[in-house]
């Protein structure tokens, strides 16, 4: 382990499962700790923060780039999802990345592929309600990638908090050898959580989208002031979203941090989560609430 400075050498690009697995296992046999950051590309500072954390804690950093069709619903943005491999590789060049694994579709899902992973209970509420099948696709690709890249540690963002909980549970339930870590949400100076989907937003929508974080901050402020009643807090959050011209709200929830079950009172650490549409773009965000 050790803090690595940015490598002058560009990361090695691999597209075959066998090659990347071979490299990872070879490094581990040499006593190196391998970390992985899984992405769908269109990389931004949120992804880079995971890469830096990985490189701080591991000797070898692997970034995977794969737009996983299995986690998109029929009416979702699979076709338009930003794909920019060359730009992504350039953006990783100054970072301490050793390997990039960017397979094509047939490499990951060759003819005849048909296995799906049923995700744990925590996949049920919130995103699970709004995006049926999404977490089945996520669990399947993450488990598959962890076999192809059998890293010691895998880094995920709190931005997709429910996804993190699902992967942590899956790793525990299935005795995966990889440790699952979560990293903080990276935001713009104005507070918008970075997301590859922010590229869809026009200037007016970018301004509207700020209401999502404002609603979460408002929840935090109310809790700090001693408000405990969840219905009261979520009503105020919805008002803030409406004031920002966000009308299509999938959920505004305050839940237990581990089970994601709705709370009635904020009597312990809780998670506030929002999913809403800004124009045609669906955004999610969350914030941990600490009652004093
Ligand atoms: P994605 O490419 O959107 O599938 O994201 C890949 C990983 O980056 C996931 O673990 C995300 O939670 C994480 N991530 C995405 N956006 C952010 C952000 N703004 N801050 C921190 N992590 C993020």
């Amino acid at each position: 382990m050790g803090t690595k400075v940015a490598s002058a050498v560009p990361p090695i690009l691999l597209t075959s499962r066998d090659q990347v697995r071979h490299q990872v296992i070879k490094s581990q046999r040499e006593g190196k700790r391998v970390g992985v950051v899984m992405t769908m590309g269109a990389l931004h500072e949120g992804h880079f923060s995971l890469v830096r954390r990985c490189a701080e804690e591991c000797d070898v950093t692997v970034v995977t780039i794969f737009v996983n069709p299995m986690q998109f619903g029929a009416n979702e943005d699979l076709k338009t999802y930003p794909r920019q491999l060359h730009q992504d590789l350039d953006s990783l060049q100054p970072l301490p990345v050793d390997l990039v694994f960017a397979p094509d579709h047939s490499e990951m899902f060759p003819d005849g592929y048909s296995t799906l992973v049923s995700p744990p209970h925590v996949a049920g509420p919130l995103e699970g309600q709004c995006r049926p099948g999404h977490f089945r696709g996520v669990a399947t690709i993450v488990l598959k990638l962890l076999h192809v890249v059998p890293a010691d540690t895998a880094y995920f963002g709190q931005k997709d908090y429910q996804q993190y909980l699902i992967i942590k549970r899956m790793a525990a339930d299935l005795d995966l050898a990889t440790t699952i870590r979560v990293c903080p949400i990276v935001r713009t100076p104005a507070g918008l959580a970075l997301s590859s989907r922010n590229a869809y937003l026009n200037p007016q929508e970018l301004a509207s989208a700020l209401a999502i974080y404002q609603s979460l901050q408002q929840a935090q402020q109310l809790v700090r002031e001693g408000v405990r009643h969840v219905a009261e807090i979520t009503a105020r959050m919805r008002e803030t979203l409406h004031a920002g011209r966000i009308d299509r709200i999938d959920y505004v929830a305050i839940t237990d941090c581990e089970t994601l079950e709705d709370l009635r009172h904020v009597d312990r650490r809780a998670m506030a989560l929002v999913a809403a549409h800004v124009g045609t773009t669906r955004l999610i965000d969350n914030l941990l609430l600490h009652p004093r």
Side-chain angles (χ1 to χ4, degrees), residues 38-41 44 46-47 49-50 81 155-160 163 183-186 193-194 196:
M38 297 178 185
T39 80
M40 296 207 301
H44 52 65
H47 300 117
S49 71
L50 305 188
Y81 197 85
Y155 296 83
F156 294 90
Q158 187 192 312
K159 164 79 173 27
D160 300 278
Q163 169 178 283
C183 302
I185 301 175
V186 178
L194 296 188
S196 305

Side-chain angles (χ1 to χ4, degrees), residues 149-165:
V149 182
D152 299 278
T153 312
Y155 296 83
F156 294 90
Q158 187 192 312
K159 164 79 173 27
D160 300 278
Y161 183 67
Q162 189 172 13
Q163 169 178 283
Y164 155 67
L165 289 179

Side-chain angles (χ1 to χ4, degrees), residues 13-121:
L13 174 63
L14 297 175
T15 55
S16 115
R17 285 173 288 154
D18 285 348
Q19 280 175 345
V20 72
R21 198 173 146 79
H22 174 80
Q23 288 291 333
V24 169
I25 291 170
K26 183 167 164 271
S27 297
Q28 286 167 328
R29 287 205 179 119
E30 290 165 2
K32 293 178 180 160
R33 286 186 57 81
V34 176
V36 65
V37 175
M38 297 178 185
T39 80
M40 296 207 301
L43 302 178
H44 52 65
E45 270 303 321
H47 300 117
F48 303 153
S49 71
L50 305 188
V51 167
R52 290 193 194 94
R53 169 88 177 273
C54 178
E56 272 165 31
E57 297 182 357
C58 301
D59 305 301
V60 173
T61 294
V62 183
V63 173
T64 71
I65 300 179
F66 181 65
V67 180
N68 172 31
M70 221 185 250
Q71 69 189 66
F72 287 78
N75 299 318
E76 293 184 358
D77 56 343
L78 174 62
K79 279 209 178 107
T80 52
Y81 197 85
R83 288 166 176 84
Q84 44 173 63
L85 182 60
H86 290 297
Q87 212 175 307
D88 287 344
L89 293 173
D90 285 349
S91 71
L92 290 175
Q93 181 134 357
L95 295 171
V97 177
D98 300 283
L99 297 176
V100 175
F101 176 55
D104 65 16
H105 181 267
S106 63
E107 178 65 16
M108 290 308 277
F109 299 117
D111 283 351
Y113 184 97
S114 68
T115 300
L116 295 171
V117 176
S118 176
H121 286 320

Side-chain angles (χ1 to χ4, degrees), residues 2 33 79 84 88 93 97 108 120 130 134 143 146 178 200-202 214 222 244 251 259 286:
R33 286 186 57 81
K79 279 209 178 107
Q84 44 173 63
D88 287 344
Q93 181 134 357
V97 177
M108 290 308 277
C130 301
H134 169 65
L143 185 59
L146 284 177
T178 307
Y200 300 144
L201 303 174
N202 66 34
Q214 285 159 6
L222 289 169
Y251 56 80
T259 64
N286 64 75

Side-chain angles (χ1 to χ4, degrees), residues 199-222:
Y200 300 144
L201 303 174
N202 66 34
Q204 213 178 358
E205 290 168 341
L206 276 168
S208 256
L210 295 179
I212 295 177
Y213 185 50
Q214 285 159 6
S215 74
L216 292 166
Q217 283 182 304
Q218 182 176 37
Q220 191 180 52
Q221 183 57 31
L222 289 169

